Amino acid sequence: MTILEVSKVSRRFGGLQALSDVTFSVNRGEIVGVIGPNGAGKTTLFSTLVGLIRPDAGTVTLDSKDLAGLKPHTVASLGMTKTFQNVALFAESSVLDNVLTAGLLRHGVDAARREALNCLDRVGLRAVAHKEAGNLSFPERARVELARALCTAPKVLLLDEVMAALNPAEMREIMQLIRSLRDDGVTLLVVEHHMRAIMNVCDRILVLNFGRLLAEVENQNT
């Protein structure tokens, strides 16, 4: 059953056509990879899906709900959010408080704190819950960003290069986490430059270049 429908989405920035008539759908419980060279439009696509960028044309539908004109926090409340390549944490706050802020979308403070701890446990960071976020390594900050996204209880989670700067062992852990999230009912879109990771976890792969969807390929390796 389709959970996300993207139809003829286009976006121009001045003379740059960042997205051009992008159309695809995602079924509930799928893991879909999005690949393409730098500047292909991958991050712009993700930002458009979650309401950070408004498309010039086209529609985005989540669970039969039209997302046109909705703000990111409203899109998140409907069940879709993304991680960010450039992780921006509250450096002087604890790791727990950084994740807790996302939980406030659906919960009061006490329940959000419990959910935040669960999400930190999920990404392997519960042991540093009370550490200042500014003292974390880059891979740890990326995991906090992932925990923060999970704390919104997404139906569809967009992962924007969460495996950047990870070593092979850390990448294996994130790939295992992605599969476990799918097993728990989360649908995922994954932008990633590590082709080994894409080929290991994704059911289908979308190929973007110059803002156009060039190909949609079933992954025979999964």
Side-chain angles (χ1 to χ4, degrees), residues 77-197:
S77 71
L78 291 172
M80 184 161 64
T81 193
K82 73 182 287 290
T83 62
F84 290 83
Q85 270 182 280
N86 300 316
V87 180
L89 302 180
F90 302 111
E92 295 180 1
S93 297
S94 70
V95 169
L96 176 60
D97 284 346
N98 269 271
V99 179
L100 182 154
T101 57
L104 296 174
L105 180 72
R106 301 190 186 280
H107 306 287
V109 174
D110 289 342
R113 182 174 288 108
R114 289 192 295 272
E115 187 60 27
L117 284 169
N118 289 337
C119 291
L120 286 170
D121 195 33
R122 196 76 187 270
V123 303
L125 287 182
R126 187 165 185 142
V128 299
H130 299 291
K131 189 174 182 179
E132 273 194 11
N135 294 328
L136 299 179
S137 67
F138 179 81
E140 286 174 327
R141 292 200 300 273
R143 285 177 182 247
V144 173
E145 174 71 6
L146 177 52
R148 190 160 58 180
L150 289 176
C151 209
T152 68
K155 300 175 187 175
V156 178
L157 178 57
L158 315 183
L159 302 179
D160 197 351
E161 296 198 38
V162 294
M163 286 178 259
L166 300 187
N167 64 40
E170 292 166 335
M171 285 177 61
R172 285 192 296 271
E173 290 174 3
I174 294 296
M175 287 189 283
Q176 184 176 351
L177 174 60
I178 289 171
R179 293 188 193 99
S180 72
L181 290 172
R182 189 258 296 279
D183 291 343
D184 287 346
V186 180
T187 301
L188 297 108
L189 272 77
V190 182
V191 162
E192 193 54 63
H193 282 296
H194 293 286
M195 287 304 299
R196 175 174 163 268

Side-chain angles (χ1 to χ4, degrees), residues 47-63:
S47 294
T48 302
L49 296 183
V50 299
L52 288 165
I53 295 173
R54 183 170 294 189
D56 298 323
T59 60
V60 178
T61 306
L62 176 68
D63 245 354

Side-chain angles (χ1 to χ4, degrees), residues 1-101:
M1 178 185 292
T2 299
I3 188 169
L4 178 64
E5 189 82 38
V6 180
S7 179
K8 296 184 178 301
V9 166
S10 296
R11 174 68 196 209
R12 177 182 288 275
F13 298 102
L16 173 66
Q17 189 70 46
L19 297 172
S20 182
D21 286 332
V22 176
T23 297
F24 64 91
S25 61
V26 179
N27 294 323
R28 197 179 303 274
E30 271 193 306
I31 304 173
V32 176
V34 183
I35 64 171
N38 289 333
K42 303 182 299 295
T43 294
T44 299
L45 173 63
F46 272 22
S47 294
T48 302
L49 296 183
V50 299
L52 288 165
I53 295 173
R54 183 170 294 189
D56 298 323
T59 60
V60 178
T61 306
L62 176 68
D63 245 354
S64 302
K65 296 181 180 68
D66 184 3
L67 304 185
L70 298 183
K71 295 185 181 300
H73 71 273
T74 304
V75 175
S77 71
L78 291 172
M80 184 161 64
T81 193
K82 73 182 287 290
T83 62
F84 290 83
Q85 270 182 280
N86 300 316
V87 180
L89 302 180
F90 302 111
E92 295 180 1
S93 297
S94 70
V95 169
L96 176 60
D97 284 346
N98 269 271
V99 179
L100 182 154
T101 57

